[in-house]
Amino acid sequence: MRGFLTLTVRAVSRVPRRPLSGGRPPAPLGARVLTNPEDIFQHNMWDHVQWTEEETEKARLRAEENSKEKIPVEEQSKYDGEAHKYWDRFYELHQRKFFRNRTWLFTEFPELLPPDTAGLCRPELEQDSRSESGNREKQQPCGSCTLTSHMDTFPGQHAAFRILEVGCGAGNSVFPIISTIRGSKAFLYCCDFSSQAVELIQEHPDYDPAVCHAFVRDICDTRSPFPFPPESLDIILVVFVLSAIHPARRAQDVVTSLAGFLKQGGIMLFRDYGRYDLAQLRFKKGQCLSENFYTRQDGTCVYFFTKDEVHRLFSDAGLEELQNLEDRRLQVNRGKKVVMHRVWVQSKYRKPSLISD
Ligand SMILES: C[S@@+](CC[C@H](N)C(=O)[O-])C[C@H]1O[C@@H](n2cnc3c(N)ncnc32)[C@H](O)[C@@H]1O
């Protein structure tokens, strides 16, 4: 295993330019680039690592090998049907200690930062008003106010900027977001199908119902209501959660139904495990459910995406690409002198605005 993970490192002569995605500048995914292979043990992580064909082939063979033996179909349904129980046990055991706070959140996803909300939701703008010329003009009502026609009252109803995080776990993104939006006109919803995880959030000293509403919800159950109306969200954050869901049976329905809650122009922000990430190659035989989908010892599941699959998921939900990239990095264990390839997919997809004549 160690031999397999000890990879050749090619020097890169300059910082590679990432391709522009959707006409927008790429996200700042870090700029620590290894230009001299001798420096490899100087840092714990190197960015923008390119794989040789040989490395890709080695990884492909390794994944082929560890997925040869599939878990028998009759045993597989429990991983799907009882998924929330496995995650409940996970949070009972690890509490808040397993995942680290997502410190990269605002660097990679500056869209999460509430815009200057001044004037976005002023009740006086929701009625007819006079323009400077004295003519009566019909102002466009803001999202919050039209929403009351769908639902009488709901948490975050008066917010001018609404974020939802699905599969929020113990709050590693939730609390950084709460501390950032406090004092703004933004509101955060967060849900997880593990009631243990949601309790950890609600019991956290920084949890504040004035800014955040945490609730239990299985996002695969697309018919259950959410505590906000359709087309009411500016941002939906989907980090390391779609990988936990059956890729073929469920993921598309989940993304399509979530897209219905975005406002026009609202954005889905996605980050998750990429194909041939170290975590995939480390699986042993007998843990594979289907191609690139595995179950861990604790019964939780994980899928490894390509960016083309991610593109299909979001564009089939009617969203347009702003960014879709593979974030390939080299993780270094300086003590053991081992280097490992990490792969994540990071994407941003927007709900198009309807063009009216
Ligand atoms: C790998 S953890 C990531 C947690 C969090 N997003 C983070 O980045 O720290 C995956 C989370 O997704 C949740 N999850 C998995 N399937 C879900 C589903 N169908 N509905 C809601 N939450 C789900 C799990 O309970 C778990 O908290």
Side-chain angles (χ1 to χ4, degrees), residues 87 91 99 102 165-169 172-173 192-194 217-220 239-241 244-245:
W87 279 105
Y91 288 110
F99 300 113
R102 307 303 185 186
E165 186 190 7
V166 290
C168 57
N172 297 85
S173 299
D192 201 287
F193 70 173
S194 160
R217 173 70 151 77
D218 182 347
I219 51 172
C220 292
V239 293
F240 296 100
V241 55
I245 288 171

Side-chain angles (χ1 to χ4, degrees), residues 93-232:
L93 184 67
H94 299 290
Q95 302 280 303
R96 299 192 182 101
K97 295 184 199 120
F98 194 84
F99 300 113
R100 293 203 204 118
N101 267 2
R102 307 303 185 186
T103 46
W104 43 264
L105 207 59
F106 296 102
T107 332
E108 300 306 331
F109 296 143
E111 296 81 358
L112 281 166
L113 295 167
D116 177 8
T117 51
L120 264 182
C121 183
R122 297 210 310 267
E124 66 272 22
L125 286 186
E126 283 140 29
Q127 288 137 28
D128 286 359
S129 62
R130 285 185 190 281
S131 69
E132 278 178 7
S133 63
N135 294 331
R136 215 169 245 296
E137 284 183 341
K138 186 85 177 162
Q139 298 281 335
Q140 286 297 317
C142 78
S144 304
C145 306
T146 47
L147 290 173
T148 50
S149 62
H150 299 280
M151 251 182 187
D152 282 347
T153 57
F154 59 96
Q157 175 179 0
H158 298 294
F161 187 73
R162 295 189 199 88
I163 303 167
L164 165 68
E165 186 190 7
V166 290
C168 57
N172 297 85
S173 299
V174 167
F175 292 104
I177 296 175
I178 287 182
S179 62
T180 304
I181 66 174
R182 212 186 284 279
S184 75
K185 286 189 173 179
F187 193 85
L188 172 67
Y189 306 90
C190 59
C191 69
D192 201 287
F193 70 173
S194 160
S195 52
Q196 288 288 330
V198 173
E199 267 173 38
L200 287 172
I201 290 189
Q202 290 170 336
E203 287 164 5
H204 193 287
D206 293 342
Y207 180 69
D208 179 358
V211 187
C212 177
H213 177 63
F215 56 100
V216 177
R217 173 70 151 77
D218 182 347
I219 51 172
C220 292
D221 177 6
T222 52
R223 281 169 303 177
S224 286
F226 272 104
F228 40 76
E231 302 225 321
S232 59

Side-chain angles (χ1 to χ4, degrees), residues 52-350:
T52 61
E53 275 178 29
E54 194 193 343
E55 284 164 350
T56 309
E57 181 58 9
K58 233 175 176 175
R60 193 190 64 74
L61 289 173
R62 172 81 191 164
E64 190 177 278
E65 182 65 19
N66 73 15
S67 47
K68 261 187 191 144
E69 272 170 39
K70 304 276 188 307
I71 293 175
V73 180
E74 58 279 13
E75 277 179 42
Q76 288 205 11
S77 58
K78 69 176 181 201
Y79 295 112
D80 201 18
E82 295 176 25
H84 65 289
K85 293 188 188 161
Y86 292 114
W87 279 105
D88 267 341
R89 254 173 256 149
F90 174 93
Y91 288 110
E92 258 166 39
L93 184 67
H94 299 290
Q95 302 280 303
R96 299 192 182 101
K97 295 184 199 120
F98 194 84
F99 300 113
R100 293 203 204 118
N101 267 2
R102 307 303 185 186
T103 46
W104 43 264
L105 207 59
F106 296 102
T107 332
E108 300 306 331
F109 296 143
E111 296 81 358
L112 281 166
L113 295 167
D116 177 8
T117 51
L120 264 182
C121 183
R122 297 210 310 267
E124 66 272 22
L125 286 186
E126 283 140 29
Q127 288 137 28
D128 286 359
S129 62
R130 285 185 190 281
S131 69
E132 278 178 7
S133 63
N135 294 331
R136 215 169 245 296
E137 284 183 341
K138 186 85 177 162
Q139 298 281 335
Q140 286 297 317
C142 78
S144 304
C145 306
T146 47
L147 290 173
T148 50
S149 62
H150 299 280
M151 251 182 187
D152 282 347
T153 57
F154 59 96
Q157 175 179 0
H158 298 294
F161 187 73
R162 295 189 199 88
I163 303 167
L164 165 68
E165 186 190 7
V166 290
C168 57
N172 297 85
S173 299
V174 167
F175 292 104
I177 296 175
I178 287 182
S179 62
T180 304
I181 66 174
R182 212 186 284 279
S184 75
K185 286 189 173 179
F187 193 85
L188 172 67
Y189 306 90
C190 59
C191 69
D192 201 287
F193 70 173
S194 160
S195 52
Q196 288 288 330
V198 173
E199 267 173 38
L200 287 172
I201 290 189
Q202 290 170 336
E203 287 164 5
H204 193 287
D206 293 342
Y207 180 69
D208 179 358
V211 187
C212 177
H213 177 63
F215 56 100
V216 177
R217 173 70 151 77
D218 182 347
I219 51 172
C220 292
D221 177 6
T222 52
R223 281 169 303 177
S224 286
F226 272 104
F228 40 76
E231 302 225 321
S232 59
L233 302 176
D234 295 273
I235 301 288
I236 302 181
L237 184 64
V238 190
V239 293
F240 296 100
V241 55
L242 286 188
S243 54
I245 288 171
H246 195 290
R249 282 211 297 278
R250 308 260 200 187
Q252 186 62 62
D253 286 350
V254 168
V255 175
T256 304
S257 89
L258 288 176
F261 289 93
L262 280 177
K263 292 176 185 171
Q264 290 174 30
I267 299 175
M268 210 148 344
L269 301 173
F270 170 90
R271 187 169 169 92
D272 218 319
Y273 294 105
R275 184 70 44 86
Y276 305 148
D277 177 54
L278 165 75
Q280 176 174 13
L281 304 185
R282 273 185 170 167
F283 275 105
K284 303 270 184 306
K285 270 190 200 164
Q287 291 181 269
C288 185
L289 292 157
S290 57
E291 292 310 298
N292 307 299
F293 190 45
Y294 302 79
T295 180
R296 303 181 183 97
Q297 300 291 352
D298 64 6
T300 62
C301 297
V302 59
Y303 184 74
F304 297 87
F305 290 95
T306 65
K307 67 181 190 138
D308 290 345
E309 288 169 346
V310 172
H311 182 74
R312 227 170 298 129
L313 270 179
F314 288 99
S315 48
D316 286 359
L319 306 179
E320 59 190 22
E321 179 189 327
L322 300 177
Q323 180 189 72
N324 186 28
L325 52 84
E326 265 162 5
D327 176 9
R328 291 176 180 272
R329 302 193 189 194
L330 204 57
Q331 194 173 316
V332 179
N333 182 328
R334 294 201 266 172
K336 294 185 178 161
K337 296 277 184 280
V338 172
V339 295
M340 298 154 281
H341 273 303
R342 301 306 319 255
V343 187
W344 296 280
V345 179
Q346 180 170 301
S347 318
K348 305 178 184 188
Y349 279 80
R350 180 171 53 196

